Amino acid sequence: MIKKLFAAVLLVFMTVMLYQLYSNITEKSELSGVSRGYAERGASELGTQNIVTSIVVTYRGLDTLGEVSVLFIAATGVAVLLRRRKEDEPAVTAAKRQSSEILQTGTRLLTPIIIMFGVYIFINGHLSPGGGFQGGAVIASAVLLLFLSDINYKINHGLFNVIESFSGVFYVLIGILGLLLFGVNNFLDNRILPLGEFGTILSAGAIPVIYSLVGLKVGTELASIIDNMKKD
Amino acid sequence: MNIIHVIGFILMLIGFWGMLTQKNMIKIVLALAIVETGLQLVMVAFGFIKGRTAPILDSAELVNNPASMIVDPVPQALVLTAIVIGVAVNALMLTFVIRLYQKKKTLSITEYKDLKW
């Protein structure tokens, strides 16, 4: 009872706080400061059609590297916490039921298309809404579908580890290449490759490469999180 | 001021209510996910400017004069980061829940008193 009351009081405080915040919101009519700079310079300087991508991958590329690291640490934490221990009693294995015919056939039909769609999303990250993280999540969803349809499905851990490690290493190497070619302020500069023609797939310098690496890394990481959680 | 801010704040309040009152640990994790969603909605709505379009420069007039035609791209980039971090945090929290359940065979948070004062 007293806990419920405490929660209610806390919520009232929270409501008042958020209301204060809400009543102070003024409607924007102009881009200001750094946003204006990114909007005006993004297309001509980096050759990206999608301004959000130019911010995420290049202007704030270091943050994205940190974000990938956080995801990597979380995936490692999941794997460490859920690994088989000796003292764990063997899990009660009820007989697993095969998934239905519809799901199996549908999976066989859809998995290649889903993976292709994921690749499409991260390759077109500099042209359209999308990018490495979204594409990687789509690829991981294809792996989830495989797990759902086949009870005995196992992912190839060796291959996944190799893909994940290599994409991470190449991502950092591309960043360092920017340092070597253009000087200390240009970590993760995308202009190490020619900018190409604005609005085509092979444009925006290294951004499609970086986003492909991020997509592969995120896809394999999320797939291995799913794999760890699936183990009973 | 628009309706999206209100919806975002309401989602945040629902999430906080869930975290404070629920006993099931999985529901607490879900409540945190709802707070995240609300916060992300509010953040994206902060960058909205009426009558403007998405920050994707796919026509000539957009390329020539982007700063007066697109919405603010910075909150969108921030939210992109926030979503990924949110997924990572949720996965880690659910893992803790799985481990705790394996130890004590219960999901109720009231059964875990080891660090309670």
Side-chain angles (χ1 to χ4, degrees):
Chain A
M1 187 57 218
I2 193 87
K3 272 182 190 166
K4 284 260 162 65
L5 200 68
F6 186 64
V9 171
L10 218 57
L11 270 183
V12 170
F13 273 123
M14 204 78 86
T15 316
V16 173
M17 198 183 81
L18 290 181
Y19 181 74
Q20 294 281 337
L21 196 60
Y22 176 73
S23 55
N24 281 327
I25 295 174
T26 49
E27 200 168 325
K28 275 179 113 150
S29 57
E30 275 290 283
L31 290 185
S32 56
V34 73
S35 311
R36 171 176 277 280
Y38 288 154
E40 281 168 352
R41 283 157 47 203
S44 53
E45 198 174 32
L46 305 178
T48 51
Q49 207 172 67
N50 185 346
I51 301 287
V52 178
T53 300
S54 70
I55 296 173
V56 168
V57 181
T58 304
Y59 290 123
R60 305 302 316 156
L62 192 61
D63 296 354
T64 306
L65 187 61
E67 183 186 356
V68 172
S69 316
V70 169
L71 197 60
F72 172 71
I73 292 168
T76 316
V78 171
V80 168
L81 283 168
L82 289 181
R83 72 171 188 274
R84 283 233 163 273
R85 286 178 174 76
K86 277 206 182 100
E87 71 263 29
D88 287 352
E89 66 272 33
V92 205
T93 44
K96 289 183 190 161
R97 198 159 54 88
Q98 271 297 345
S99 58
S100 72
E101 184 78 33
I102 296 174
L103 185 58
Q104 287 181 18
T105 316
T107 305
R108 233 174 285 150
L109 186 71
L110 283 176
T111 309
I113 299 175
I114 293 176
I115 291 181
M116 196 173 72
F117 182 56
V119 173
Y120 167 82
I121 287 177
F122 67 62
I123 286 182
N124 281 283
H126 57 302
L127 300 177
S128 58
F133 296 100
Q134 298 89 322
V138 171
I139 289 179
S141 74
V143 178
L144 177 62
L145 197 56
L146 286 175
F147 277 130
L148 287 179
S149 71
D150 183 359
I151 49 174
N152 295 317
Y153 183 74
K154 288 198 171 49
I155 64 171
N156 185 341
H157 283 282
L159 180 68
F160 272 49
N161 286 340
V162 167
I163 293 177
E164 192 190 324
S165 322
F166 271 97
S167 46
V169 168
F170 279 124
Y171 184 21
V172 177
L173 282 182
I174 286 176
I176 293 174
L177 211 57
L179 282 184
L180 294 177
L181 290 178
F182 298 116
V184 282
N185 292 326
N186 296 58
F187 186 67
L188 277 170
D189 197 318
N190 71 333
R191 287 168 293 182
I192 56 172
L193 294 175
L195 286 187
E197 194 189 334
F198 182 78
T200 53
I201 284 271
L202 291 175
S203 65
I207 285 182
V209 182
I210 292 175
Y211 249 173
S212 304
L213 293 174
V214 171
L216 288 175
K217 190 165 168 60
V218 171
T220 47
E221 253 157 24
L222 291 181
S224 60
I225 287 182
I226 293 169
D227 178 51
N228 282 315
M229 286 196 165
K230 181 213 70 159
K231 272 181 214 155
D232 24 28
Chain B
M1 286 244 201
N2 65 47
I3 188 77
I4 307 292
H5 285 120
V6 183
I7 294 172
F9 284 135
I10 289 174
L11 276 178
M12 282 171 76
L13 286 175
I14 292 173
F16 282 125
W17 171 81
M19 280 199 286
L20 289 169
T21 56
Q22 294 304 302
K23 300 270 184 276
N24 187 324
M25 286 190 290
I26 289 183
K27 286 185 184 171
I28 295 175
V29 176
L30 285 182
L32 193 70
I34 293 173
V35 177
E36 271 167 22
T37 312
L39 188 63
Q40 287 155 7
L41 266 182
V42 172
M43 275 167 76
V44 169
F46 271 132
F48 179 72
I49 303 174
K50 209 168 176 167
R52 296 199 179 188
T53 183
I56 294 172
L57 313 177
D58 54 358
S59 69
E61 42 183 339
L62 273 171
V63 176
N64 292 331
N65 195 7
S68 64
M69 288 188 71
I70 61 173
V71 299
D72 196 343
V74 175
Q76 301 193 3
L78 282 175
V79 168
L80 186 60
T81 310
I83 290 173
V84 177
I85 304 290
V87 168
V89 169
N90 285 343
L92 203 56
M93 279 195 300
L94 285 174
T95 311
F96 287 137
V97 174
I98 292 173
R99 286 302 295 170
L100 288 171
Y101 182 79
Q102 284 173 348
K103 280 267 182 291
K104 276 203 171 175
K105 301 287 174 216
T106 171
L107 282 175
S108 168
I109 194 139
T110 48
E111 301 293 317
Y112 295 91
K113 295 179 173 149
D114 302 357
L115 281 177
K116 210 168 176 182
W117 43 275

Coordinates of all heavy atoms in Angstrom, one line a residue, chain A residues 95-158:
Chain A
A95 N 10.4 -32.8 -25.3 CA 10.5 -33.1 -26.7 C 10.1 -31.8 -27.5 O 9.0 -31.3 -27.3 CB 9.7 -34.3 -27.1
K96 N 11.0 -31.4 -28.4 CA 10.6 -30.2 -29.2 C 9.7 -30.5 -30.3 O 9.8 -31.6 -30.9 CB 11.9 -29.5 -29.7 CG 12.7 -28.9 -28.7 CD 13.9 -28.2 -29.3 CE 14.9 -27.8 -28.3 NZ 16.2 -27.6 -29.0
R97 N 8.7 -29.6 -30.6 CA 7.8 -29.9 -31.6 C 8.3 -29.3 -32.9 O 8.8 -28.2 -32.9 CB 6.5 -29.3 -31.2 CG 5.3 -29.8 -32.0 CD 4.0 -29.5 -31.2 NE 3.9 -28.1 -30.9 CZ 3.3 -27.2 -31.6 NH1 2.8 -27.5 -32.8 NH2 3.3 -25.9 -31.3
Q98 N 8.2 -30.0 -34.0 CA 8.5 -29.4 -35.3 C 7.6 -28.2 -35.6 O 6.4 -28.2 -35.2 CB 8.3 -30.4 -36.4 CG 9.5 -31.4 -36.7 CD 10.7 -30.6 -37.2 OE1 10.6 -29.5 -37.6 NE2 11.8 -31.3 -37.2
S99 N 8.2 -27.2 -36.3 CA 7.3 -26.1 -36.7 C 6.5 -26.5 -37.8 O 6.7 -27.5 -38.5 CB 8.2 -24.9 -37.0 OG 9.0 -25.3 -38.1
S100 N 5.4 -25.7 -38.1 CA 4.4 -26.1 -39.1 C 5.0 -26.0 -40.5 O 6.0 -25.4 -40.8 CB 3.2 -25.2 -38.9 OG 3.5 -24.0 -39.5
E101 N 4.3 -26.7 -41.4 CA 4.7 -26.8 -42.8 C 4.7 -25.4 -43.4 O 5.6 -25.1 -44.1 CB 3.6 -27.7 -43.5 CG 3.9 -27.9 -44.9 CD 5.0 -29.0 -45.1 OE1 5.1 -29.9 -44.3 OE2 5.8 -28.8 -46.1
I102 N 3.7 -24.6 -43.0 CA 3.6 -23.3 -43.6 C 4.8 -22.4 -43.3 O 5.4 -21.8 -44.1 CB 2.3 -22.6 -43.1 CG1 1.1 -23.3 -43.5 CG2 2.3 -21.1 -43.5 CD1 -0.2 -22.8 -42.9
L103 N 5.2 -22.5 -42.0 CA 6.4 -21.7 -41.5 C 7.6 -22.2 -42.2 O 8.4 -21.4 -42.7 CB 6.5 -21.8 -40.0 CG 7.6 -21.0 -39.4 CD1 7.4 -19.5 -39.7 CD2 7.7 -21.2 -37.9
Q104 N 7.8 -23.5 -42.4 CA 9.0 -24.0 -43.0 C 9.1 -23.6 -44.5 O 10.1 -23.1 -44.9 CB 9.0 -25.5 -42.9 CG 9.3 -26.0 -41.5 CD 9.4 -27.5 -41.4 OE1 9.5 -28.2 -42.4 NE2 9.3 -28.1 -40.2
T105 N 8.0 -23.8 -45.2 CA 8.0 -23.4 -46.6 C 8.2 -21.9 -46.8 O 9.0 -21.4 -47.6 CB 6.7 -23.8 -47.3 OG1 6.4 -25.1 -46.8 CG2 6.8 -23.8 -48.8
G106 N 7.5 -21.1 -45.9 CA 7.6 -19.7 -46.0 C 9.0 -19.2 -45.7 O 9.5 -18.3 -46.4
T107 N 9.6 -19.8 -44.7 CA 11.0 -19.5 -44.4 C 11.9 -19.7 -45.6 O 12.8 -18.9 -45.9 CB 11.5 -20.3 -43.2 OG1 10.6 -20.1 -42.1 CG2 12.9 -19.8 -42.8
R108 N 11.8 -20.9 -46.2 CA 12.6 -21.2 -47.3 C 12.5 -20.2 -48.5 O 13.4 -19.8 -49.1 CB 12.3 -22.6 -47.9 CG 13.5 -23.5 -48.0 CD 13.1 -24.9 -48.3 NE 12.5 -25.6 -47.2 CZ 11.6 -26.6 -47.3 NH1 11.2 -26.9 -48.5 NH2 11.1 -27.2 -46.3
L109 N 11.2 -19.7 -48.6 CA 11.0 -18.7 -49.7 C 11.5 -17.4 -49.3 O 12.1 -16.7 -50.1 CB 9.4 -18.7 -49.9 CG 8.9 -17.8 -51.0 CD1 9.3 -18.5 -52.3 CD2 7.5 -17.6 -50.9
L110 N 11.3 -17.0 -48.0 CA 11.6 -15.6 -47.6 C 13.0 -15.3 -47.2 O 13.4 -14.1 -47.4 CB 10.6 -15.2 -46.5 CG 9.2 -14.9 -46.9 CD1 8.3 -14.7 -45.6 CD2 9.1 -13.8 -47.8
T111 N 13.7 -16.2 -46.6 CA 15.0 -15.9 -46.1 C 16.0 -15.2 -47.0 O 16.5 -14.2 -46.7 CB 15.7 -17.2 -45.5 OG1 14.8 -17.8 -44.6 CG2 16.9 -16.8 -44.7
P112 N 16.1 -15.8 -48.3 CA 17.0 -15.0 -49.2 C 16.6 -13.6 -49.5 O 17.4 -12.7 -49.6 CB 17.0 -15.9 -50.5 CG 16.4 -17.2 -50.1 CD 15.5 -16.9 -48.9
I113 N 15.2 -13.5 -49.6 CA 14.7 -12.1 -49.9 C 15.0 -11.2 -48.8 O 15.4 -10.0 -49.0 CB 13.2 -12.2 -50.2 CG1 13.0 -13.2 -51.4 CG2 12.7 -10.9 -50.6 CD1 11.6 -13.4 -51.8
I114 N 14.8 -11.7 -47.5 CA 15.0 -10.8 -46.4 C 16.5 -10.4 -46.3 O 16.8 -9.2 -46.1 CB 14.6 -11.5 -45.1 CG1 13.0 -11.7 -45.1 CG2 15.0 -10.6 -43.9 CD1 12.6 -12.4 -43.9
I115 N 17.4 -11.3 -46.5 CA 18.8 -11.0 -46.4 C 19.2 -10.0 -47.5 O 19.9 -9.0 -47.3 CB 19.7 -12.3 -46.5 CG1 19.5 -13.1 -45.3 CG2 21.1 -11.9 -46.7 CD1 20.2 -14.3 -45.2
M116 N 18.6 -10.2 -48.7 CA 18.9 -9.3 -49.8 C 18.4 -7.9 -49.5 O 19.0 -6.9 -49.8 CB 18.2 -9.8 -51.1 CG 18.8 -9.2 -52.4 SD 18.1 -10.0 -53.8 CE 16.4 -9.4 -53.8
F117 N 17.2 -7.8 -48.9 CA 16.6 -6.5 -48.5 C 17.5 -5.9 -47.5 O 17.7 -4.6 -47.6 CB 15.2 -6.8 -47.9 CG 14.5 -5.5 -47.6 CD1 14.4 -4.5 -48.5 CD2 14.0 -5.3 -46.3 CE1 13.7 -3.3 -48.2 CE2 13.4 -4.1 -46.0 CZ 13.2 -3.1 -46.9
G118 N 18.1 -6.6 -46.5 CA 19.0 -6.0 -45.5 C 20.2 -5.5 -46.2 O 20.6 -4.3 -45.9
V119 N 20.8 -6.2 -47.1 CA 21.9 -5.7 -47.9 C 21.6 -4.5 -48.6 O 22.3 -3.5 -48.7 CB 22.5 -6.8 -48.8 CG1 23.6 -6.3 -49.7 CG2 23.0 -8.0 -48.0
Y120 N 20.4 -4.5 -49.3 CA 20.0 -3.3 -50.0 C 19.9 -2.1 -49.1 O 20.3 -1.0 -49.5 CB 18.6 -3.6 -50.6 CG 17.9 -2.4 -51.2 CD1 18.2 -1.9 -52.4 CD2 16.9 -1.8 -50.4 CE1 17.5 -0.8 -52.9 CE2 16.2 -0.7 -50.9 CZ 16.5 -0.2 -52.2 OH 15.9 0.9 -52.6
I121 N 19.4 -2.3 -47.9 CA 19.2 -1.1 -47.0 C 20.6 -0.6 -46.6 O 20.8 0.6 -46.6 CB 18.4 -1.6 -45.7 CG1 17.0 -1.8 -46.0 CG2 18.5 -0.5 -44.6 CD1 16.2 -2.2 -44.9
F122 N 21.6 -1.5 -46.3 CA 22.8 -0.8 -45.9 C 23.7 -0.3 -47.0 O 24.5 0.6 -46.8 CB 23.6 -1.7 -44.8 CG 24.2 -3.0 -45.2 CD1 25.1 -3.1 -46.1 CD2 23.8 -4.1 -44.5 CE1 25.7 -4.3 -46.4 CE2 24.3 -5.4 -44.8 CZ 25.3 -5.4 -45.8
I123 N 23.5 -0.9 -48.2 CA 24.3 -0.3 -49.3 C 23.7 1.0 -49.8 O 24.4 1.9 -50.2 CB 24.3 -1.3 -50.5 CG1 25.2 -2.5 -50.2 CG2 24.8 -0.7 -51.8 CD1 25.3 -3.5 -51.2
N124 N 22.4 1.2 -49.6 CA 21.8 2.5 -50.0 C 21.7 3.5 -48.9 O 20.9 4.4 -48.9 CB 20.4 2.2 -50.6 CG 20.4 1.8 -52.0 OD1 20.7 2.5 -52.9 ND2 20.3 0.5 -52.2
G125 N 22.5 3.3 -47.8 CA 22.4 4.1 -46.6 C 22.6 5.6 -46.9 O 22.1 6.5 -46.2
H126 N 23.5 5.9 -47.9 CA 23.8 7.3 -48.2 C 22.8 7.9 -49.1 O 22.9 9.1 -49.4 CB 25.2 7.4 -48.7 CG 25.5 6.6 -49.9 ND1 25.3 5.2 -50.0 CD2 25.8 7.0 -51.2 CE1 25.5 4.8 -51.2 NE2 25.9 5.8 -51.9
L127 N 21.9 7.1 -49.7 CA 20.9 7.7 -50.6 C 19.5 7.8 -50.1 O 18.8 8.7 -50.5 CB 20.9 6.8 -51.9 CG 22.2 6.7 -52.7 CD1 22.0 5.7 -53.8 CD2 22.7 8.0 -53.1
S128 N 19.1 6.9 -49.3 CA 17.7 6.8 -48.8 C 17.7 6.5 -47.3 O 18.8 6.2 -46.7 CB 17.1 5.6 -49.6 OG 17.8 4.4 -49.3
P129 N 16.5 6.6 -46.7 CA 16.5 6.2 -45.3 C 17.0 4.8 -45.1 O 16.6 3.9 -45.8 CB 15.0 6.3 -44.9 CG 14.4 7.1 -46.0 CD 15.2 6.9 -47.2
G130 N 17.9 4.6 -44.2 CA 18.5 3.3 -44.0 C 19.9 3.4 -43.5 O 20.4 4.5 -43.2
G131 N 20.6 2.3 -43.5 CA 22.0 2.3 -43.1 C 22.4 1.0 -42.4 O 21.6 0.1 -42.4
G132 N 23.6 1.0 -41.9 CA 24.1 -0.2 -41.4 C 23.3 -0.9 -40.3 O 23.1 -2.1 -40.3
F133 N 22.9 -0.1 -39.3 CA 22.2 -0.6 -38.2 C 20.9 -1.2 -38.6 O 20.5 -2.4 -38.2 CB 22.0 0.4 -37.1 CG 23.3 0.9 -36.6 CD1 23.8 2.1 -37.0 CD2 24.0 0.2 -35.7 CE1 25.1 2.6 -36.6 CE2 25.3 0.6 -35.2 CZ 25.8 1.8 -35.7
Q134 N 20.1 -0.5 -39.4 CA 18.8 -1.0 -39.8 C 19.0 -2.3 -40.7 O 18.3 -3.3 -40.5 CB 18.1 0.0 -40.6 CG 17.8 1.3 -39.9 CD 18.9 2.3 -40.0 OE1 20.0 2.0 -39.9 NE2 18.5 3.6 -40.1
G135 N 19.9 -2.2 -41.6 CA 20.2 -3.4 -42.5 C 20.6 -4.6 -41.7 O 20.2 -5.7 -41.9
G136 N 21.5 -4.3 -40.7 CA 21.9 -5.4 -39.9 C 20.8 -6.1 -39.1 O 20.7 -7.3 -39.0
A137 N 19.9 -5.2 -38.6 CA 18.7 -5.7 -37.8 C 17.9 -6.6 -38.7 O 17.4 -7.7 -38.3 CB 17.9 -4.6 -37.2
V138 N 17.7 -6.2 -40.0 CA 16.9 -7.0 -40.9 C 17.5 -8.3 -41.2 O 16.9 -9.4 -41.2 CB 16.7 -6.2 -42.3 CG1 16.1 -7.1 -43.3 CG2 15.8 -5.0 -42.0
I139 N 18.9 -8.3 -41.4 CA 19.6 -9.6 -41.6 C 19.4 -10.5 -40.4 O 19.1 -11.7 -40.5 CB 21.0 -9.3 -41.9 CG1 21.2 -8.7 -43.3 CG2 21.8 -10.6 -41.9 CD1 22.5 -8.4 -43.7
A140 N 19.5 -9.9 -39.2 CA 19.3 -10.7 -38.0 C 17.9 -11.3 -37.9 O 17.7 -12.4 -37.4 CB 19.6 -9.9 -36.7
S141 N 17.0 -10.6 -38.4 CA 15.6 -11.1 -38.4 C 15.5 -12.3 -39.3 O 14.7 -13.2 -39.0 CB 14.6 -10.0 -38.8 OG 14.6 -9.8 -40.2
A142 N 16.2 -12.4 -40.4 CA 16.2 -13.6 -41.2 C 16.8 -14.8 -40.4 O 16.2 -15.9 -40.5 CB 17.1 -13.3 -42.5
V143 N 17.8 -14.5 -39.6 CA 18.4 -15.6 -38.8 C 17.4 -16.1 -37.8 O 17.2 -17.3 -37.5 CB 19.7 -15.2 -38.1 CG1 20.2 -16.3 -37.2 CG2 20.7 -14.8 -39.2
L144 N 16.6 -15.1 -37.2 CA 15.6 -15.5 -36.2 C 14.5 -16.3 -36.9 O 14.1 -17.3 -36.3 CB 14.9 -14.2 -35.7 CG 13.8 -14.4 -34.7 CD1 14.3 -15.1 -33.5 CD2 13.2 -13.0 -34.3
L145 N 14.2 -16.0 -38.1 CA 13.2 -16.8 -38.8 C 13.7 -18.2 -39.0 O 12.9 -19.2 -38.9 CB 12.9 -16.2 -40.2 CG 11.6 -16.6 -40.9 CD1 10.4 -16.4 -40.1 CD2 11.5 -15.8 -42.2
L146 N 15.0 -18.4 -39.4 CA 15.6 -19.7 -39.5 C 15.5 -20.5 -38.2 O 15.1 -21.7 -38.2 CB 17.0 -19.6 -39.9 CG 17.3 -19.2 -41.4 CD1 18.7 -19.0 -41.6 CD2 16.7 -20.3 -42.3
F147 N 15.8 -19.8 -37.1 CA 15.7 -20.5 -35.8 C 14.3 -20.9 -35.5 O 14.0 -22.0 -34.9 CB 16.1 -19.5 -34.7 CG 17.6 -19.5 -34.5 CD1 18.3 -18.3 -34.4 CD2 18.3 -20.7 -34.3 CE1 19.6 -18.2 -34.2 CE2 19.7 -20.6 -34.1 CZ 20.3 -19.4 -34.1
L148 N 13.3 -20.1 -35.9 CA 11.9 -20.4 -35.6 C 11.4 -21.6 -36.4 O 10.7 -22.5 -35.9 CB 11.0 -19.2 -35.9 CG 11.0 -18.1 -34.9 CD1 10.1 -17.0 -35.3 CD2 10.6 -18.5 -33.5
S149 N 11.9 -21.7 -37.7 CA 11.3 -22.7 -38.5 C 12.0 -24.1 -38.4 O 11.4 -25.1 -38.6 CB 11.4 -22.3 -40.0 OG 12.8 -22.3 -40.4
D150 N 13.3 -24.1 -38.0 CA 14.0 -25.4 -37.9 C 14.5 -25.5 -36.4 O 15.4 -24.8 -36.0 CB 15.1 -25.4 -38.9 CG 15.9 -26.7 -38.8 OD1 15.5 -27.6 -38.0 OD2 16.8 -26.9 -39.6
I151 N 14.0 -26.5 -35.7 CA 14.4 -26.6 -34.3 C 15.8 -27.0 -34.1 O 16.4 -26.8 -33.1 CB 13.4 -27.6 -33.5 CG1 13.3 -28.9 -34.3 CG2 12.1 -27.0 -33.2 CD1 12.6 -30.0 -33.5
N152 N 16.4 -27.6 -35.1 CA 17.8 -28.1 -35.0 C 18.7 -27.1 -35.7 O 19.9 -27.5 -35.8 CB 17.9 -29.5 -35.6 CG 17.1 -30.5 -34.8 OD1 17.1 -30.4 -33.6 ND2 16.4 -31.3 -35.5
Y153 N 18.3 -26.0 -36.1 CA 19.2 -25.1 -36.8 C 20.3 -24.5 -35.9 O 20.1 -24.1 -34.8 CB 18.4 -23.9 -37.4 CG 19.2 -22.9 -38.2 CD1 19.6 -23.3 -39.5 CD2 19.6 -21.7 -37.7 CE1 20.4 -22.5 -40.2 CE2 20.4 -20.9 -38.4 CZ 20.8 -21.3 -39.7 OH 21.6 -20.4 -40.4
K154 N 21.5 -24.6 -36.4 CA 22.6 -24.0 -35.7 C 23.4 -23.1 -36.6 O 23.6 -23.3 -37.8 CB 23.6 -25.1 -35.3 CG 23.0 -26.0 -34.2 CD 24.1 -26.8 -33.5 CE 23.6 -27.5 -32.3 NZ 22.4 -28.2 -32.5
I155 N 23.8 -21.9 -36.0 CA 24.5 -21.0 -36.9 C 26.0 -21.4 -36.9 O 26.5 -22.1 -36.0 CB 24.4 -19.5 -36.4 CG1 24.9 -19.3 -35.0 CG2 23.0 -19.1 -36.5 CD1 25.0 -17.9 -34.6
N156 N 26.7 -21.0 -37.9 CA 28.1 -21.3 -38.1 C 28.9 -20.3 -37.3 O 29.2 -19.2 -37.8 CB 28.4 -21.2 -39.6 CG 29.8 -21.7 -39.9 OD1 30.6 -21.7 -39.0 ND2 30.1 -22.0 -41.1
H157 N 29.3 -20.7 -36.0 CA 29.9 -19.7 -35.2 C 31.2 -19.2 -35.7 O 31.5 -18.0 -35.6 CB 30.1 -20.3 -33.8 CG 28.9 -20.4 -33.0 ND1 28.4 -19.2 -32.3 CD2 28.0 -21.3 -32.7 CE1 27.3 -19.6 -31.7 NE2 27.0 -20.8 -31.9
G158 N 32.0 -20.1 -36.3 CA 33.3 -19.7 -36.8 C 33.2 -18.6 -37.9 O 33.8 -17.5 -37.8

